[in-house]
Amino acid sequence: MSQTVVSGVLSFIEDPIQELKQPELHDYVRKSPILYWTNQKINRKNIVFKIETNGYAGEQLINGYKRPFGSPNLWVSKMDQHKVETISLTWEETQEVSEIILTFNDDVNEDLVNLHHHRTSFETMPELIKDYEIWGISGVKRQLLAKVVGNRVRQRKHQFDPQQVDRLEINLLETNGSQFKSLFEVRVY
């Protein structure tokens, strides 16, 4: 097992829910396989394996999905939490941009409840991008459109006066603890 969380990868062990272990207490008519497998005892750990996939490719950022759908469906960097990652969006013609929406990875598989007995070992989801900046570029002119330090939310909407841009650069500076930088979606209006 790896202590490194890899977004889009879930590991389960065969361990039936307690009700199935005590048939005299409950009469289960539902025979779903999900009742026999759990990830609770190995949550945020993965079985180590290697596979080639395009499930983390840059194209995932602009396909219209905000969550896993048929694949992890998010962009993920190589493992190096200290390296700044830059995502570039380029158009053939100049675009007028006034709004950018970013949907960050907050580990949609984490079991979060607001009960006092159920706590994670972290205050903020480690996979969330903590610090980032968005630059609008037109020819050689660069303009800072947004800078966020200390992000703690899944989705950020940045609105500003219309700007003419040929390219956008999103610099992902730091996470809240993950060794990977990741992002589900970028929308530009």
Side-chain angles (χ1 to χ4, degrees), residues 30-146:
R30 203 168 59 148
K31 297 294 182 194
S32 172
I34 197 71
L35 300 174
Y36 294 89
W37 292 83
T38 184
N39 69 346
Q40 289 181 350
K41 293 181 181 175
I42 58 171
N43 192 28
R44 300 189 68 79
K45 297 178 185 172
N46 293 120
I47 297 169
V48 178
F49 65 94
K50 183 176 181 177
I51 187 171
E52 295 296 322
T53 180
N54 64 355
Y56 302 113
E59 294 80 30
Q60 307 291 354
L61 292 172
I62 57 173
N63 67 9
Y65 295 107
K66 293 183 177 194
R67 296 203 178 266
F69 181 78
S71 75
N73 197 57
L74 75 158
W75 171 83
V76 178
S77 72
K78 301 255 189 259
M79 187 168 66
D80 186 354
Q81 70 185 58
H82 301 293
K83 181 181 175 214
V84 173
E85 293 288 344
T86 300
I87 295 168
S88 294
L89 298 173
T90 306
W91 295 272
E92 291 179 17
E93 297 178 13
T94 300
Q95 302 292 311
E96 184 174 270
V97 174
S98 61
E99 181 177 67
I100 299 170
I101 301 172
L102 303 176
T103 304
F104 297 107
N105 178 14
D106 66 344
D107 191 356
V108 296
N109 294 302
E110 182 65 40
D111 182 23
L112 295 176
V113 295
N114 61 354
L115 301 175
H116 295 290
H117 71 83
H118 186 89
R119 295 278 186 224
T120 59
S121 59
F122 42 83
E123 287 293 317
T124 305
M125 294 304 296
E127 291 76 21
L128 273 174
I129 298 297
K130 179 179 176 184
D131 303 334
Y132 65 94
E133 20 182 69
I134 303 172
W135 291 86
I137 302 165
S138 181
V140 294
K141 180 184 168 198
R142 293 176 55 90
Q143 181 174 350
L144 184 63
L145 301 176

Side-chain angles (χ1 to χ4, degrees), residues 147-165:
K147 181 174 178 129
V148 173
V149 175
N151 179 50
R152 296 175 60 102
V153 298
R154 174 176 165 74
Q155 189 171 64
R156 285 281 186 155
K157 181 187 291 190
H158 298 283
Q159 294 177 311
F160 40 83
D161 291 333
Q163 304 290 320
Q164 299 292 321
V165 299

